[in-house]
Amino acid sequence: MSNPMISVRGVTMNFNMPKEKVDSVKEYLIRKLKRRLSYDKFTALDNISIDIERGEVLGIIGLNGSGKSTLLKVISGILKPSDGEVITNGTISPLIELGAGFDPDLTTRENIFLNGSVLGFERSFIREKYDEILDFAELRDYENVAIKNFSSGMVARLGFSIATLVKPDILIVDEILAVGDFLFQQKCEARISEMMSGGTTVLIVSHSIEQIERLCSRILWLDHGKTRMIGDTATVCEQYKNM
Amino acid sequence: MKKKLILCAVAVVCLALALLFGVINFSADNLENRKNGYENAEISHPDGKVFVLDGKYLNNVKVNGKIESVCAFTAEGEPILPSSTTQKNDDLYYNFGVYADYVSFTGADDDTVVTVNPTSLNVNVMLTFFIFFLPLCLAWAILNAIEDKSAFKKDILAMKRYKYLLYDLVSRDIKTKYRRSVLGILWSVLNPLLMMLVLTAVFSQIIRVEVEGGFALFYLTGYIIFNFVSESSGFSLVSVINGGGLIKKVYLPKYVFPLEKTIFSLVNMLFSLTAFVIVFVIFLITGQVQLHATMLLFFVPMIYVFVFSLGLNLILSTLNVFFRDVGHLWGVFMTVWMYATPIIYPINIVPEWLQGIIRFNPLYHYVTYFRNVMIYGTLPSFTDNLICIGFALLFLAVGVTVFRKNQDKFVLHI
């Protein structure tokens, strides 16, 4: 068996939530002296382990606050887990939220290059893909318009185009498909299917169970930070709907 | 545990070295010699009209009485001009930027007294401080880097991958800074020029400050260096917080943010250098200044101050994530720092004990270095370079270590 694309090994993520917000030196020192810096420990992820293979599309489902987004953040390296480790083999293009790395004051053109470099791609590579990105996002007419004048759907389209057209090894999709209109959603799904056949590993978080059923090959069900179930789409979705 | 042991050992060795250095330098014998000038300057008075000072690093020469002309030479026999003269009570102080090894005063009266003040003592206090702190901080930084070698390597390698990001962010900053202003980037040149005009008017007409070479260039050189530090620290302070949108959404090496702001300010500093060139050319045409070969070294103090600033900015951006007070306090501190740096006054008009304290201000050394190469045409000595590099390394080592120790916690606090 080949190396898994993403290997999550016993990841635990604890947050220390201070009971009161302390962000001034004076307050901090006073509390430290009085030994009153108390925290509520909150476990967002509790010992999660999963191996994700190349070309697999993993859906992550669960109720609000079950740790889906935290898991994505840990996998993409934004958060460092309190315990355990994540090993990834390949470039990750995260779409954690819409418009990550866009500057509202810059034009579409400038933002494409900025976003490309935020994701760590070579200048020449982005130049090569530039037209394709613009056409896929259907923003050819808005090439020199500042992003701040865009509707949220337009920003989402641009973000999705950049993240998918640079052909990352791992694509992370967090609720993003809910924003575009249905035509664009169809286009996105077609694009994801295309990438899957090309060997890209995709992680999808969505509350739309139909979408998950349509796209995913395997599903991880999180419940209060714990793995409730890992299995093929049909079984897990059945259980989830009858919860 | 092992780390602490090594650090303790380094500290003990450094302390011993510093003490040894201190004892040698401040021994009664040495102090006695200093009273007659640094490193046994011999003051001879051959014919009653001429004073000859022969020694090393003659500086802050006090003349009480009347003299007609001054000639100073470096050890190589190059003639140099005094970098500044200051009148204090009845005494006239001559400064040669510590490079004069032979000075002669002609046309002296019978009552004229020439003394060399032991200002170099202050330099040695500085060096003692360095001998103790620099190796200690470097050892701390290196030990920490070794401790998580793979992560450190990853951060360095990320630099290559994210060089386009750095470039894009800097160009974005330049584009957005002057957006909607008619003159645009010209402001980077105009700002220092206008500031210079105002302050030159005040300090050469209203409050008279005598500076060799004219107040305009003296101020401008100080301003260029100081403004770089002040601007880059102001931007870097909030850089990580403002980059929160990105940090929370994509993986990025966090040092990109303060590094980018420091580079942006460096670009601004290069623009404002144009202001210096303009004023210098005007003065050159009117014959008030001369061209010096040392001006080719303009980039050396800039590199020093860049490294120093980068270290400082890494510390500041880290602190500000956890305590937003730092941001508010920093404005006040910058004002204090401006007055503690000889930008609008030459250092020798302040009392000697204060000069000793000012020598601990890194900016004083960078500003002086810059002035020496740009206006006075003197080549800074080995010790000067050592001090500049020392401060830069000290701040960089501490900055990198503090930043790296805390960067994983940033995302939880923005």
Side-chain angles (χ1 to χ4, degrees):
Chain A
M1 206 174 85
S2 67
N3 256 2
M5 208 62 183
I6 305 168
S7 180
V8 179
R9 292 179 191 165
V11 164
T12 297
M13 188 74 215
N14 293 319
F15 290 111
N16 283 333
M17 293 198 304
K19 285 193 175 118
E20 290 135 290
K21 198 161 170 55
V22 181
D23 54 7
S24 80
V25 182
K26 190 185 86 186
E27 243 179 286
Y28 180 84
L29 287 179
I30 290 173
R31 278 165 199 278
K32 187 122 196 170
L33 284 174
K34 288 184 176 171
R35 294 177 190 284
R36 268 174 50 191
L37 269 174
S38 53
Y39 297 105
D40 280 335
K41 200 164 117 183
F42 172 74
T43 307
L45 294 174
D46 191 0
N47 199 12
I48 306 282
S49 296
I50 187 171
D51 281 348
I52 305 162
E53 303 296 329
R54 172 178 289 273
E56 197 175 3
V57 180
L58 181 80
I60 303 173
I61 55 172
L63 302 175
N64 283 336
S66 56
K68 304 184 294 286
S69 294
T70 309
L71 181 61
L72 291 189
K73 283 184 179 175
V74 171
I75 289 176
S76 56
I78 297 165
L79 287 174
K80 202 177 176 187
S82 323
D83 200 17
E85 58 174 352
V86 176
I87 299 166
T88 51
N89 298 302
T91 53
I92 308 182
S93 158
L95 274 182
I96 294 291
E97 275 161 63
L98 295 174
F102 285 141
D103 188 310
D105 278 330
L106 295 181
T107 65
T108 312
R109 192 191 155 75
E110 288 163 335
N111 264 306
I112 289 177
F113 282 102
L114 180 64
N115 211 288
S117 53
V118 163
L119 300 177
F121 289 106
E122 295 268 331
R123 180 58 44 101
S124 54
F125 181 73
I126 300 291
R127 205 170 286 135
E128 225 170 80
K129 294 277 177 189
Y130 179 75
D131 287 315
E132 216 180 321
I133 291 170
L134 213 55
D135 288 335
F136 188 84
E138 297 162 26
L139 292 171
R140 176 59 73 182
D141 299 339
Y142 303 94
E143 201 179 340
N144 293 313
V145 178
I147 296 266
K148 64 182 171 193
N149 301 321
F150 280 15
S151 71
S152 54
M154 288 158 97
V155 178
R157 260 149 51 193
L158 186 60
F160 186 85
S161 306
I162 297 173
T164 54
L165 282 160
V166 292
K167 294 218 168 46
D169 300 321
I170 300 161
L171 179 71
I172 295 180
V173 184
D174 187 1
E175 293 288 0
I176 184 192
L177 299 180
V179 179
D181 55 35
F182 74 97
L183 281 177
F184 191 72
Q185 279 191 30
Q186 283 173 4
K187 215 168 147 186
C188 291
E189 284 181 22
R191 177 88 215 142
I192 290 176
S193 316
E194 195 186 307
M195 290 177 78
M196 279 152 52
S197 50
T200 305
T201 305
V202 186
L203 301 183
I204 298 178
V205 164
S206 179
H207 284 294
S208 155
I209 201 82
E210 293 79 28
Q211 209 171 43
I212 296 266
E213 277 180 317
R214 234 183 0 257
L215 290 167
C216 302
S217 53
R218 203 153 65 113
I219 288 182
L220 167 68
W221 178 5
L222 290 177
D223 186 18
H224 289 97
K226 291 190 176 69
T227 313
R228 176 86 170 256
M229 229 180 158
I230 302 176
D232 61 280
T233 313
T235 330
V236 180
C237 280
E238 199 56 39
Q239 290 266 354
Y240 186 67
K241 279 186 213 159
N242 298 329
M243 183 173 54
Chain B
M1 200 57 227
K2 202 174 145 200
K3 197 171 98 183
K4 276 189 183 150
L5 272 175
I6 298 177
L7 278 181
C8 282
V10 174
V12 169
V13 172
C14 294
L15 191 62
L17 278 176
L19 279 176
L20 190 70
F21 183 80
V23 166
I24 294 172
N25 265 287
F26 307 120
S27 64
D29 200 26
N30 234 325
L31 287 177
E32 192 55 39
N33 282 337
R34 269 170 222 285
K35 279 186 189 148
N36 305 318
Y38 184 53
E39 296 204 353
N40 298 322
E42 273 176 31
I43 304 179
S44 47
H45 199 188
D47 61 355
K49 289 264 181 218
V50 183
F51 270 102
V52 177
L53 274 64
D54 197 356
K56 219 162 178 239
Y57 309 135
L58 301 170
N59 201 20
N60 210 10
V61 180
K62 185 169 90 174
V63 178
N64 186 306
K66 193 177 137 280
I67 51 147
E68 272 162 17
S69 66
V70 186
C71 294
F73 299 92
T74 63
E76 287 79 37
E78 296 271 329
I80 48 173
L81 289 169
S83 58
S84 62
T85 49
T86 326
Q87 182 89 43
K88 212 157 54 178
N89 303 327
D90 283 343
D91 306 327
L92 201 56
Y93 286 84
Y94 284 88
N95 273 287
F96 301 95
V98 302
Y99 310 105
D101 288 342
Y102 182 89
V103 185
S104 73
F105 294 91
T106 45
D109 270 352
D110 282 344
D111 331 324
T112 305
V113 180
V114 175
T115 40
V116 183
N117 282 340
T119 45
S120 301
L121 198 64
N122 292 326
V123 176
N124 287 320
V125 176
M126 265 282 324
L127 288 178
T128 316
F129 160 82
F130 261 142
I131 289 172
F132 181 60
F133 271 100
L134 191 58
L136 194 60
C137 289
L138 286 181
W140 180 60
I142 291 168
L143 282 174
N144 272 300
I146 291 173
E147 210 172 34
D148 55 352
K149 218 190 307 180
S150 61
F152 194 77
K153 230 180 187 166
K154 209 176 118 197
D155 277 354
I156 300 279
L157 285 177
M159 186 102 71
K160 203 176 149 211
R161 186 168 171 210
Y162 288 97
K163 61 176 187 281
Y164 296 104
L165 176 63
L166 273 179
Y167 176 83
D168 276 344
L169 288 175
V170 171
S171 77
R172 175 194 71 179
D173 276 353
I174 294 171
K175 273 180 205 152
T176 47
K177 186 178 179 189
Y178 297 113
R179 184 151 289 193
R180 283 174 212 286
S181 68
V182 182
L183 295 175
I185 202 105
L186 261 180
W187 278 114
S188 284
V189 181
L190 274 178
N191 240 332
L193 275 183
L194 294 175
M195 284 292 281
M196 182 209 74
L197 282 180
V198 173
L199 284 164
T200 308
V202 172
F203 283 99
S204 59
Q205 301 303 319
I206 304 172
I207 308 165
R208 282 172 191 270
V209 177
E210 286 293 325
V211 189
E212 189 68 28
F215 186 81
L217 285 178
F218 178 84
Y219 170 71
L220 209 50
T221 41
Y223 173 88
I224 287 172
I225 297 286
F226 183 81
N227 197 49
F228 163 72
V229 174
S230 133
E231 191 187 80
S232 74
S233 65
F235 285 144
S236 301
L237 206 55
V238 287
S239 65
V240 173
I241 296 167
N242 287 350
L246 273 181
I247 291 176
K248 280 189 198 164
K249 287 171 187 166
V250 245
Y251 168 75
L252 277 179
K254 275 99 191 147
Y255 64 77
V256 162
F257 298 100
L259 178 63
E260 181 263 314
K261 292 297 178 197
T262 318
I263 294 177
F264 168 58
S265 298
L266 181 73
V267 174
N268 267 339
M269 171 160 70
L270 291 174
F271 280 127
S272 59
L273 201 61
T274 319
F276 177 85
V277 174
I278 292 171
V279 178
F280 193 84
V281 168
I282 294 172
F283 280 15
L284 200 62
I285 293 167
T286 56
Q288 279 165 283
V289 286
Q290 288 174 285
L291 264 177
H292 302 289
T294 51
M295 288 177 89
L296 291 172
L297 291 175
F298 75 94
F299 62 90
V300 176
M302 287 190 171
I303 293 172
Y304 290 160
V305 79
F306 175 79
V307 175
F308 162 77
S309 258
L310 183 61
L312 176 72
N313 295 343
L314 285 171
I315 301 172
L316 285 175
S317 55
T318 309
L319 281 178
N320 204 32
V321 170
F322 300 106
F323 305 107
R324 305 288 149 95
D325 312 49
V326 179
H328 302 289
L329 205 62
W330 190 246
V332 182
F333 184 78
M334 269 335 269
T335 314
V336 176
W337 205 0
M338 199 198 91
Y339 287 108
T341 311
I343 296 173
I344 48 175
Y345 60 86
I347 188 167
N348 47 351
I349 66 164
V350 300
E352 213 158 287
W353 61 270
L354 203 56
Q355 288 187 20
I357 294 173
I358 289 177
R359 261 169 229 281
F360 280 90
N361 172 4
L363 272 184
Y364 159 74
H365 297 279
Y366 298 123
V367 167
T368 309
Y369 196 114
F370 194 54
R371 279 181 185 146
N372 278 336
V373 291
M374 296 303 275
I375 318 179
Y376 305 129
T378 43
L379 199 63
S381 68
F382 182 66
T383 318
D384 287 339
N385 280 292
L386 218 58
I387 291 172
C388 286
I389 294 172
F391 270 120
L393 277 185
L394 187 74
F395 274 82
L396 188 69
V398 174
V400 167
T401 313
V402 167
F403 194 85
R404 293 196 68 256
K405 272 180 167 259
N406 292 296
Q407 59 180 356
D408 291 331
K409 284 182 264 168
F410 285 173
V411 68
L412 306 172
H413 289 261
I414 323 177

